[in-house]
Amino acid sequence: MDAALELRDLRKSYGDVQALDGVDLTVPAGSFFGLLGPNGAGKTTLIKILVGLVRKTGGDARVFGHDVETDYREARDRIGLAPQEFNVDQFFPIREVLEHKAGYHGVPLDQARDRADEVLKRVGIYDKRDTRFDWLSGGMKRRFVLARALITEPDLLILDEPTAGVDVQLRHELWETIVDLNQRGTTILLTTHYIEEAERLCDEVAILDSGRVLDVASPEELMRRG
Ligand code: ATP
């Protein structure tokens, strides 16, 4: 079976800045994988390459065997992304935003509504379905971004710091939702600054620093090594 993610000597430079400096990484299908690293390590750049927002300057990246550039559509359709920034249509009711997104990915309208309702229930904001995005609280916005990532029923869910700036209770609720998705077979790639978050959730963690993978191990192993 193909790995969910396979990176070989992946490189990206922005002018003089070497954001990714030869990353080799394999994320097994079905795993809960963490990407841990300080600010500027290259985590967001790596994710943007996977979803076609940034062009790599070298190496290879495959999603379930599909090259992210030459097989862009196939690779992209397997991924659901909950990004760090909220890049959402502010002015439409959130259920409509989800229906549009599903439609864009080829889901017929009647099914799109059912799916939108289902993911809104899953993340616990179904009662806000007719509200505009910019009228949601910060925590609800986080939940919505997760719902939007789920609308295409992705095989690889990428979460870029999904619990940054949320309170403890919401953090635990989001964790529960994500763990449940992983147990149903979705591969998860999660970036975080919090070692506790990685320890709590991940089977395996890669440490990224200055565009390189320094280590790949289970969280227990990393804690043991200090
Ligand atoms: P954070 O944890 O702060 O989100 P990160 O690990 O996601 O950091 P990146 O955002 O990938 O790191 O940035 C890696 C490096 O690439 C940084 O030095 C950053 O300044 C640089 N960089 C990122 N995007 C651009 C860009 N569009 N133009 C120029 N440099 C960039």
Side-chain angles (χ1 to χ4, degrees):
M1 187 174 173
D2 286 319
L5 195 57
E6 195 129 40
L7 309 180
R8 291 295 159 251
D9 195 29
L10 190 63
R11 293 172 183 274
K12 173 66 192 178
S13 52
Y14 299 103
D16 292 342
V17 179
Q18 197 69 39
L20 296 178
D21 195 12
V23 170
D24 289 296
L25 198 64
T26 302
V27 174
S31 66
F32 200 131
F33 201 96
L35 206 53
L36 199 68
N39 289 127
K43 305 180 297 294
T44 303
T45 297
L46 194 159
I47 290 170
K48 285 185 171 172
I49 290 172
L50 299 180
V51 297
L53 290 173
V54 160
R55 262 186 110 75
K56 62 188 164 68
T57 45
D60 279 314
R62 291 176 178 274
V63 175
F64 293 101
H66 301 291
D67 186 281
V68 297
E69 285 186 2
T70 56
D71 286 339
Y72 167 72
R73 199 66 257 171
E74 289 81 356
R76 184 64 187 89
D77 279 345
R78 307 292 290 271
I79 299 175
L81 170 64
Q84 242 178 77
E85 332 84 67
F86 297 130
N87 54 344
V88 178
D89 275 328
Q90 307 264 354
F91 309 114
F92 297 97
I94 55 173
R95 177 157 71 174
E96 268 182 45
V97 175
L98 295 177
E99 286 168 3
H100 288 158
K101 169 123 197 191
Y104 175 74
H105 286 271
V107 179
L109 188 63
D110 52 332
Q111 287 175 35
R113 164 133 319 180
D114 290 346
R115 263 206 214 175
D117 288 350
E118 188 190 314
V119 292
L120 288 169
K121 285 176 190 161
R122 180 170 276 251
V123 303
I125 53 170
Y126 180 66
D127 59 335
K128 296 285 178 184
R129 62 195 174 280
D130 296 321
T131 304
R132 295 162 45 151
F133 179 78
D134 57 346
W135 292 348
L136 299 178
S137 75
M140 289 171 193
K141 285 178 176 161
R142 283 267 159 240
R143 291 171 194 253
F144 175 73
V145 168
L146 177 58
R148 192 184 54 171
L150 294 176
I151 193 78
T152 57
E153 300 180 338
D155 298 311
L156 172 61
L157 177 62
I158 302 180
L159 305 165
D160 196 1
E161 296 181 34
T163 63
V166 309
D167 68 36
V168 176
Q169 192 194 334
L170 176 56
R171 174 166 298 163
H172 286 106
E173 285 175 22
L174 288 170
W175 283 354
E176 239 175 76
T177 308
I178 302 164
V179 166
D180 182 54
L181 287 161
N182 180 240
Q183 284 169 351
R184 291 161 185 248
T186 309
T187 308
I188 313 278
L189 179 68
L190 169 117
T191 80
T192 182
H193 294 292
Y194 307 115
I195 181 76
E196 318 83 64
E197 184 161 86
E199 192 191 6
R200 178 76 171 258
L201 298 172
C202 300
D203 314 321
E204 233 182 335
V205 178
I207 308 284
L208 195 68
D209 198 0
S210 306
R212 289 172 169 272
V213 175
L214 299 188
D215 206 353
V216 182
S218 69
E220 297 75 30
E221 181 64 29
L222 288 174
M223 299 290 268
R224 236 193 334 267
R225 289 185 209 163

